[in-house]
Structure formats: C-alpha cells, structure tokens
Amino acid sequence: LQCSLQVSEHGDIGFLLLDGITSNTAMLMPIKAICNEMRKMGVFVLVDGAHCLQPTGIDVPSIGCHAWLANGHKWLCTPKGVAVLWVTDSSPINMRDLRSCVVSHGHGHGMASAFSWDGCRDYSALLSTSTVLQFWESIGEQRAVKYCRDLLQEAVNLLNERWNIHHPSLPRSSHMSLVRLPATISKLDSTMQTSDDAARLQNILHFEHRIEVPVKCIDGQLYVRISAQIYNCLDDYRNLADAVCSAIAD
C-alpha cells in the first residue's frame, strides 16, 4: 500500500483492483483504509469481493470503493452464474464508460438495462437467488457465520497439532485459513517446494483420498487453504490430517 501511495502521488495510478479477501492466502484485506487513501488521490477503486458475500456481512457503500463485484456460488451457495456488481455515482471516471461486454437490448438505456439482459443467457440461476436468500434467513446468517468461524478455529488447531506445526497463526478470514504442511512429504522430490509440488499433492489428496482442498506454495513452503462451510464438520479435517500423514508415510 505504501509503495502504491508513493507512485500515486506522482499521478501514475488511475485504477486499483483490490481483493476483499485474497484467494491465495485467505487474508481479509484492510479495504476501507486503502479505499480511503486512494479516493483522496482520485484513484478509481474496484473491489473483488468473490469470497466476501457471506463470510463478512459487508456493508458495501461503507467501504468507500467506487465499484464492488462478487459471485454468489462460492459462499452464498447460489448456482454458478449469479454475480453482483455495485457502482457508486461518485467516481473519478464517467460511469457511462462502464459497459457490458455483451451489447444487447438494454444498450444505451442505462447501466441496469445494459447489464441485466445480455442475450441468450440461461437466467434460471438468477431466478433461484431469492430462494437461496430465504434459506440463509431460515437458518440465521449470523448463526451460520459463527458456526463456520468456530469450526475453522477448531480445524486449524487440529491440523497444527496433528502435523506438529508450531508456527504463529497466520492472518485469515472468518471462513478460510492457510495451514502450513509438514516440511517433509516424501512423495515430493525437493525440500524447497514449488507450485508444481503443490499441484501434485493436491492431486494426491483428490484422487487417492477423495479430498478437495487447494494446496498453495508460498515462499517455498506448502500450505493447505482450508475452508469452513455449514455442511462441514470436524471429521472432514481429521480425514485431511490423516491423508497428509499417509502421504508422508508412503
């Protein structure tokens, strides 16, 4: 952020794309603080909220960004194809320049018309959104968020204990976290791990143990990026712990 601010002071930045929660590292970004500084300098800020719709309960207008977008299938549990685009009227660029990639019947009749109807798309996913929102209301959104947050903490503790990891806890969001993997996994060839190693281990977990979890390589060290949703339970993470221990033993 500091480097960006220094460059922006010289007028070299006009647009900033910012993750609300990073996909690779599961970190909740200080987006309000960043947006506040960028707006002072006339920088257009677009926030990618792909992992933010349900976990953060975020009040989008209060963030201070100029545009915010997210998809619904990750955490809101809508079918794929559901997305949200929010744009403020206060912007350093002309909102008339914000256009849909598909030119259809709504072109030239305002942003809502241009984006809401774009040809031959199957709109059944969008039509299901009200039912999805009713589902979350029926179980209690805050109750769901608390369950996921508590489960994630239990899962992180369990995996660190099983894998004998004593590194400080990494910053994380309420529903996702990186957990460092044991330093030696014999199915991998080198002590300094790579993204190829991460992909190989992810395939081992998927095809040999029927576990779907992203494996990340950060600074030569492998991590799993675990998630907690209402359909998960602690046994899911016990199975993951066992699978990684099996990979080490083989």
Side-chain angles (χ1 to χ4, degrees):
L1 174 59
Q2 292 300 325
C3 291
S4 297
L5 292 178
Q6 290 172 8
V7 175
S8 184
E9 287 175 354
H10 295 87
D12 295 326
I13 293 181
F15 176 85
L16 175 67
L17 173 61
L18 176 68
D19 282 336
I21 296 174
T22 60
S23 177
N24 203 46
T25 58
M27 291 182 62
L28 179 64
M29 297 291 286
I31 52 176
K32 284 188 178 182
I34 296 174
C35 288
N36 181 55
E37 293 301 320
M38 290 297 158
R39 286 180 70 101
K40 293 177 183 177
M41 299 173 182
V43 177
F44 184 93
V45 182
L46 169 62
V47 175
D48 179 355
H51 288 284
C52 298
L53 264 185
Q54 201 248 6
T56 59
I58 199 163
D59 177 19
V60 175
S62 71
I63 296 173
C65 60
H66 298 98
W68 188 92
L69 57 85
N71 49 44
H73 68 268
K74 285 186 170 70
W75 293 102
L76 202 59
C77 297
T78 67
K80 290 183 178 180
V82 175
V84 176
L85 172 63
W86 176 92
V87 181
T88 182
D89 292 331
S90 173
S91 169
I93 68 172
N94 193 331
M95 284 296 100
R96 288 178 297 180
D97 293 331
L98 187 65
R99 302 174 183 175
S100 171
C101 292
V102 178
V103 176
S104 189
H105 298 290
H107 179 71
H109 297 284
M111 177 182 163
S113 295
F115 279 87
S116 63
W117 190 262
D118 56 3
C120 299
R121 180 192 299 273
D122 179 359
Y123 287 91
S124 56
L126 291 173
L127 295 174
S128 73
T129 304
S130 60
T131 301
V132 173
L133 296 176
Q134 289 170 12
F135 165 76
W136 286 112
E137 185 177 357
S138 70
I139 65 172
E141 187 173 0
Q142 292 307 311
R143 176 188 173 202
V145 169
K146 183 180 186 306
Y147 173 82
C148 295
R149 182 185 295 114
D150 293 346
L151 177 61
L152 183 69
Q153 184 61 61
E154 288 185 81
V156 169
N157 293 341
L158 182 151
L159 295 175
N160 282 335
E161 181 179 353
R162 286 290 306 278
W163 296 338
N164 197 29
I165 301 298
H166 301 292
H167 297 277
S169 297
L170 296 168
R172 60 175 181 262
S173 66
S174 62
H175 284 46
M176 300 191 301
S177 179
L178 287 180
V179 179
R180 188 167 179 171
L181 284 159
T184 303
I185 299 178
S186 61
K187 285 194 175 184
L188 306 177
D189 297 330
S190 60
T191 55
M192 178 63 72
Q193 311 299 351
T194 67
S195 294
D196 288 339
D197 295 324
R200 290 167 58 193
L201 179 57
Q202 186 167 326
N203 285 336
I204 290 171
L205 294 173
H206 177 82
F207 292 106
E208 297 184 18
H209 300 277
R210 298 172 61 88
I211 294 174
E212 184 62 41
V213 63
V215 180
K216 305 293 185 179
C217 182
I218 301 173
D219 294 333
Q221 174 62 50
L222 297 188
Y223 297 81
V224 287
R225 194 207 69 194
I226 61 171
S227 301
Q229 184 53 285
I230 58 172
Y231 48 72
N232 290 122
C233 65
L234 200 58
D235 282 343
D236 294 327
Y237 309 98
R238 292 191 179 101
N239 292 337
L240 172 60
D242 292 339
V244 171
C245 290
S246 175
I248 294 174
D250 290 344

